[in-house]
Amino acid sequence: STQSTWGAMGDSFYEYLLKQYLLTGRKEPRYQKMYNATLAGLRSKLLVRSPHFTYVAERHRNIIHKMDHLACFVPGMIALGADGDPELLSIAKELTQTCVQMYFSTPTGISAESYLFDQVGIMSPDAKYYILRPEVVESLFYMWRATKDSIYQDWGWQIFLSINRYCRVDGGGYSSLRDVTQLPPHKTDNMSSFWLAETLKYLYLLFSEDSKLDLQKYVFNTEGHPFPVIPKQP
């Protein structure tokens, strides 16, 4: 295929290479090898470091300077698999900062679905809707666990306050938004299931003790459900 993306239609595959390795108690090195190969490809072909932001681009024959909110799972994935590697954690930190700015750069403080980057790396909203996606707060959770830097909790709290302000429905529940660049934003009367299964779960865990869910004992699938690591056979 001439198309390469870490966003829709490809994200789960890359994520599961690492998580299958972790889920099997690191006893299946073929998955680690495949994950390392795909991460090397991302770094050499799609990772862009501009004067302003580091982001994961797409390729459709030629490189497309676009990053989806969906692709913001990448810094969390890198942090999860970094094992303390300072170079990988540095990439994860840079990408997390970009993903957080997807929220902080809009009038609502809520991220658009995707962003375009110009020649000097300035971002602007592409698809301007928001559907309560989890990927950014998911990465904040993994970055907090990997670094214990409270900035990730601070950012998560700011994001939650914005979501609570503009997406909460008086009668109960939360709604997607049609355009995050408009004030007040228009609600679309839709609440995706991943808001409960993932977004709120990662926000909760971001402020919980590590013992609430030990990442040495559990691995999250791409829908935010924890699976116990397969124990060693006697």
Side-chain angles (χ1 to χ4, degrees):
S1 172
T2 59
Q3 179 175 348
S4 179
T5 175
W6 283 65
M9 309 302 292
D11 54 319
S12 295
F13 168 73
Y14 302 116
E15 185 177 355
Y16 273 140
L17 293 178
L18 171 63
K19 290 187 172 181
Q20 186 67 16
Y21 172 64
L22 298 177
L23 185 64
T24 55
R26 302 174 184 251
K27 296 189 289 288
E28 293 284 352
R30 56 180 173 166
Y31 297 118
Q32 182 187 38
K33 183 178 180 180
M34 293 168 68
Y35 169 72
N36 288 339
T38 60
L39 187 58
L42 180 148
R43 294 176 65 179
S44 64
K45 302 295 185 182
L46 298 178
L47 187 70
V48 179
R49 281 187 163 113
S50 77
H52 298 281
F53 295 107
T54 298
Y55 57 94
V56 179
E58 299 182 359
R59 186 175 290 274
H60 303 258
R61 296 187 185 276
N62 299 313
I63 193 164
I64 306 296
H65 294 275
K66 169 180 174 287
M67 184 174 180
D68 294 344
H69 187 293
L70 196 66
C72 282
F73 83 93
V74 172
M77 178 195 70
I78 293 175
L80 179 64
D83 288 330
D85 184 304
E87 185 175 359
L88 290 178
L89 283 176
S90 178
I91 294 172
K93 290 177 181 179
E94 293 173 29
L95 288 173
T96 302
Q97 290 172 345
T98 300
C99 291
V100 166
Q101 287 304 316
M102 291 180 179
Y103 282 80
F104 296 166
S105 62
T106 70
T108 56
I110 297 175
S111 175
E113 175 71 2
S114 60
Y115 283 80
L116 299 175
F117 296 82
D118 66 15
Q119 293 180 343
V120 294
I122 298 295
M123 69 165 65
S124 59
D126 180 26
K128 297 178 181 179
Y129 61 88
Y130 172 70
I131 56 174
L132 303 167
R133 283 199 182 278
E135 292 80 20
V136 174
V137 295
E138 174 185 358
S139 282
L140 291 176
F141 161 68
Y142 283 116
M143 291 301 296
W144 160 246
R145 286 291 187 93
T147 68
K148 293 304 181 184
D149 188 337
S150 62
I151 190 64
Y152 300 112
Q153 292 180 315
D154 295 340
W155 287 343
W157 183 243
Q158 291 180 57
I159 288 171
F160 171 72
L161 290 178
S162 295
I163 295 172
N164 197 52
R165 179 178 183 183
Y166 290 113
C167 298
R168 187 170 181 173
V169 178
D170 291 340
Y174 287 74
S175 173
S176 301
L177 302 178
R178 181 172 295 170
D179 186 343
V180 299
T181 67
Q182 298 295 316
L183 286 175
H186 178 80
K187 295 184 176 69
T188 61
D189 194 27
N190 174 269
M191 187 179 81
S192 299
S193 61
F194 49 67
W195 165 248
L196 299 174
E198 299 181 73
T199 312
L200 284 179
K201 185 181 297 178
Y202 287 121
L203 281 167
Y204 171 74
L205 290 172
L206 178 60
F207 299 98
S208 300
E209 297 294 329
D210 291 3
S211 59
K212 184 69 67 174
L213 196 141
D214 188 342
L215 292 178
Q216 298 300 315
K217 298 179 180 179
Y218 292 91
V219 175
F220 281 110
N221 72 356
T222 61
E223 306 306 323
H225 304 304
F227 284 75
V229 171
I230 298 173
K232 294 181 179 180
Q233 297 299 318

